[in-house]
Amino acid sequence: MAVENIFKELHISYRDLQLGVVSLEETLKPAQRKRIQESLQAIGFELIDDKNTRVIEKIKLVIINYTREPYQYLNKNLSEILCSNLHLEYSTLTALFSSVTGTSIEKYAIFQKIEYIKELLIYDELSLAQIAEKLNYSSTAYLSNQFKKNTGLTPTQFKNLNNPTSLRQTLDQV
């Protein structure tokens, strides 16, 4: 919504806007680009215009969607999904992603899942078994083991913390 508001305030029309990715109707003029960049920086965002950075951001968006809605992708692994969405070989995607981010695509996907599990634990609306099912884990034990391996805490220990939200990272921090 913040990005959408910036485009509306600057009277710049666009075709589509999803999770901060904007499809423009026309090429930006240098002055417009500068105003958008300044407005985005004022709210802690940045204008991404480099091809490799755009590919990295698309990978991240696909992974976020994949981790939050795994049942949309039944019987497909992450590498297949990324290749079909980005139209690039998986080896190209992994090399680019790890060289820019310093982590592998697989580790990034696990980190995203862990952050989503934290969010669901904080909301306290689902049992651990329901969270495991929602995220397509083979078992609650596997979810718990992966959670502990990545956080140092069991899901129950995390849930019982005084301020578990302080241990959460925003999507852009993962």
Side-chain angles (χ1 to χ4, degrees):
M1 285 177 56
V3 174
E4 182 178 19
N5 288 339
I6 288 171
F7 277 79
K8 286 180 179 177
E9 288 171 11
L10 298 175
H11 306 289
I12 298 172
S13 56
Y14 55 88
R15 280 190 302 270
D16 189 35
L17 189 146
Q18 293 181 348
L19 273 175
V21 177
V22 181
S23 299
L24 298 172
E25 291 182 354
E26 299 175 358
T27 303
L28 289 175
K29 296 175 182 142
Q32 289 175 312
R33 179 179 301 284
K34 185 176 183 203
R35 289 196 323 259
I36 290 172
Q37 192 162 4
E38 290 168 352
S39 297
L40 288 171
Q41 286 175 341
I43 59 170
F45 293 149
E46 64 180 301
L47 181 63
I48 299 171
D49 210 14
D50 165 78
K51 181 185 176 196
N52 287 342
T53 307
R54 283 194 309 255
V55 171
I56 298 297
E57 291 306 309
K58 285 181 184 177
I59 291 170
K60 288 180 177 182
L61 290 173
V62 169
I63 291 171
I64 290 167
N65 193 37
Y66 172 77
T67 58
R68 292 183 175 250
E69 300 294 334
Y71 284 100
Q72 286 186 30
Y73 304 102
L74 284 180
N75 302 321
K76 288 187 179 178
N77 62 37
L78 182 56
S79 60
E80 290 176 277
I81 295 163
L82 287 168
C83 292
S84 68
N85 277 279
L86 287 111
H87 310 290
L88 291 168
E89 293 291 323
Y90 190 67
S91 59
T92 303
L93 295 174
T94 57
L96 176 63
F97 192 87
S98 61
S99 70
V100 172
T101 66
T103 191
S104 70
I105 287 175
E106 292 79 11
K107 283 184 181 178
Y108 180 80
I110 290 169
F111 294 150
Q112 283 295 335
K113 270 191 171 182
I114 297 301
E115 289 306 312
Y116 190 38
I117 293 166
K118 288 178 186 178
E119 181 181 326
L120 294 171
L121 289 169
I122 290 167
Y123 288 152
D124 200 24
E125 294 174 358
L126 301 173
S127 69
L128 195 57
Q130 290 170 316
I131 293 171
E133 183 179 336
K134 178 180 178 69
L135 297 180
N136 203 22
Y137 275 90
S138 57
S139 69
T140 304
Y142 181 63
L143 180 152
S144 295
N145 288 338
Q146 192 175 62
F147 190 89
K148 180 159 183 154
K149 182 181 176 185
N150 285 277
T151 66
L153 301 169
T154 66
T156 304
Q157 289 170 328
F158 176 82
K159 197 173 177 178
N160 291 332
L161 291 173
N162 285 336
N163 185 11
T165 54
S166 67
L167 296 177
R168 287 221 41 236
Q169 294 180 321
T170 60
L171 291 177
D172 61 331
Q173 292 174 321
V174 175

